[in-house]
Amino acid sequence: DAGVIQSPRHEVTEMGQEVTLRCKPISGHDYLFWYRQTMMRGLELLIYFNNNVPIDDSGMPEDRFSAKMPNASFSTLKIQPSEPRDSAVYFCASSRRESTEAFFGQGTRLTVV
Amino acid sequence: EDQVTQSPEALRLQEGESSSLNCSYTVSGLRGLFWYRQDPGKGPEFLFTLYSAGEEKEKERLKATLTKKESFLHITAPKPEDSATYLCAVLWYSSASKIIFGSGTRLSIRP
């Protein structure tokens, strides 16, 4: 398996623009997680899905953030409108079932100028 | 609130100098504890899962252990290629499937 695949790897956008990050989880994994990593706050869980259904979005910082999982092999994280404080590395991870380890993608480095 | 605390924040060792990294967590129904390694510019790479006190896992120069309130990642005779940030993550029964990460220990091994 190719592992968790994220795109793009890098994104630079202007403040106010819409940003969409994409993730393809490992086939057969039932759980998908979106994390954000910054120097100040470390790895923060934003939202996670079980069988394509959002279970907990309490980590989503504001209404500007939204996530979808239309099928088992694809998820998006959207920021609209983007702000400079959204600059971070965003990771997607997936796990086979509850209480098992999660496997991470390579991340998307987002810079909002 | 469930918490994960890692120490030290940073650790510099000489090649071959063994040491341990600590991960302490809120004692409120541990479901699983995970160790990851993260290299600069990459995603966290899974190392170990521990589920119950007394459990141990080993991989090359690394050994992870678990007690009722903390976990240790022991590194024996480290090499420069072991330099990375080591992250601990915890899953509690009270938090469904939310895996919460500590802030990590930056490990640097000098040749």
Side-chain angles (χ1 to χ4, degrees):
Chain A
D1 200 316
V4 176
I5 300 172
Q6 292 186 245
S7 64
R9 289 295 311 277
H10 302 274
E11 177 81 38
V12 180
T13 191
E14 290 186 347
M15 182 174 63
Q17 295 298 306
E18 177 180 297
V19 176
T20 299
L21 311 182
R22 297 173 176 79
C23 174
K24 176 179 168 54
I26 294 172
S27 177
H29 282 196
D30 293 337
Y31 287 82
L32 183 139
F33 306 85
W34 282 101
Y35 284 88
R36 177 172 69 177
Q37 187 174 40
T38 60
M39 288 293 292
M40 291 297 295
R41 301 174 67 91
L43 262 173
E44 300 175 278
L45 178 63
L46 300 178
I47 184 172
Y48 76 93
F49 296 81
N50 178 22
N51 291 324
N52 313 337
V53 176
I55 304 300
D56 189 327
D57 65 355
S58 59
M60 297 284 260
E62 300 171 36
D63 290 345
R64 298 183 296 105
F65 286 69
S66 63
K68 294 182 179 180
M69 192 165 185
N71 57 62
S73 59
F74 184 66
S75 176
T76 59
L77 179 68
K78 185 179 293 186
I79 308 173
Q80 166 64 21
S82 57
E83 296 183 3
R85 60 193 168 125
D86 301 331
S87 297
V89 181
Y90 291 81
F91 287 103
C92 176
S94 69
S95 66
R96 183 175 298 279
R97 58 183 185 276
E98 210 167 27
S99 77
T100 60
E101 60 277 1
F103 293 89
F104 283 74
Q106 292 298 297
T108 294
R109 180 173 295 278
L110 174 65
T111 303
V112 183
V113 298
Chain B
E1 181 182 322
D2 295 324
Q3 289 191 337
V4 183
T5 304
Q6 291 190 245
S7 62
E9 199 171 301
L11 182 62
R12 295 187 69 186
L13 300 172
Q14 199 69 33
E15 183 173 0
E17 181 185 359
S18 302
S19 188
S20 297
L21 314 182
N22 177 265
C23 172
S24 61
Y25 55 90
T26 309
V27 183
S28 60
L30 179 77
R31 193 169 186 181
L33 186 142
F34 313 96
W35 282 98
Y36 288 82
R37 168 191 171 127
Q38 186 174 24
D39 293 295
K42 296 191 174 183
E45 176 189 345
F46 169 72
L47 293 173
F48 304 110
T49 303
L50 301 166
Y51 288 111
S52 56
E55 192 174 357
E56 297 184 353
K57 294 276 180 71
E58 280 191 72
K59 180 180 179 180
E60 296 181 354
R61 294 176 293 281
L62 299 175
K63 183 168 81 171
T65 62
L66 181 65
T67 71
K68 287 187 178 179
K69 60 178 182 178
E70 60 191 345
S71 176
F72 292 94
L73 184 65
H74 307 278
I75 181 160
T76 303
K79 299 181 177 182
E81 54 262 41
D82 295 321
S83 298
T85 295
Y86 290 85
L87 298 163
C88 167
V90 176
L91 178 65
W92 286 275
Y93 281 102
S94 61
S95 61
S97 294
K98 290 175 67 171
I99 300 174
I100 306 300
F101 279 79
S103 55
T105 294
R106 291 190 312 277
L107 178 65
S108 175
I109 310 297
R110 300 189 300 271

